Amino acid sequence: HGKMEFRAKLPVGVGPWPAAWMLGANFDQVGWPACGEIDVLEWSGLQPGLVGQATHSPSRFGGNSIEVKTPVANLGTQFHTYAVVWEPGRVTFSIDGITTGTWTTADTGNPFEKEFFLLLN
């Protein structure tokens, strides 16, 4: 648990798919989505003005993930700060210090109560 925060200026155009995310450290034993996933920042040029933040779990993954998409201006010309506060039983996402979504992890099978590792792409 803790707070993960990234400051980033994103590329522009169709094609790039930058993300800052975490995956359950037991991925190699249980696979995805059983290991859990926390997306602090996910952006696609197909939706150029929206930033996604989400959790994925055995009960909520793919088109059924718990997700918020937030409009953010000037993604390619200004730096923005993307964060998640990860507490026992709850995650709270924010962009530039403004909360974008908070939800509990009670219905997820609790993969979020184990160790995670960080990925940047």
Side-chain angles (χ1 to χ4, degrees), residues 57-116:
S57 66
S59 62
R60 303 295 300 263
F61 65 95
N64 187 37
S65 66
I66 303 173
E67 179 180 34
V68 61
K69 290 200 180 242
T70 305
V72 180
N74 305 313
L75 289 170
T77 59
Q78 294 180 357
F79 282 89
H80 295 278
T81 303
Y82 308 91
V84 62
V85 175
W86 174 30
E87 302 171 281
R90 179 170 64 178
V91 295
T92 301
F93 291 100
S94 67
I95 299 175
D96 294 332
I98 299 168
T99 298
T100 56
T102 298
W103 50 86
T104 68
T105 58
D107 71 339
T108 64
N110 287 319
F112 304 105
E113 302 310 317
K114 298 178 175 74
E115 291 186 16
F116 274 57

Side-chain angles (χ1 to χ4, degrees), residues 22-66:
M22 298 181 285
L23 196 61
N26 61 344
F27 170 76
D28 58 344
Q29 288 120 17
V30 301
W32 184 90
C35 65
E37 177 181 328
I38 300 172
D39 298 325
V40 183
L41 153 68
E42 186 171 21
W43 176 84
S44 166
L46 298 174
Q47 295 181 312
L50 295 176
V51 170
Q53 296 172 299
T55 57
H56 303 266
S57 66
S59 62
R60 303 295 300 263
F61 65 95
N64 187 37
S65 66
I66 303 173

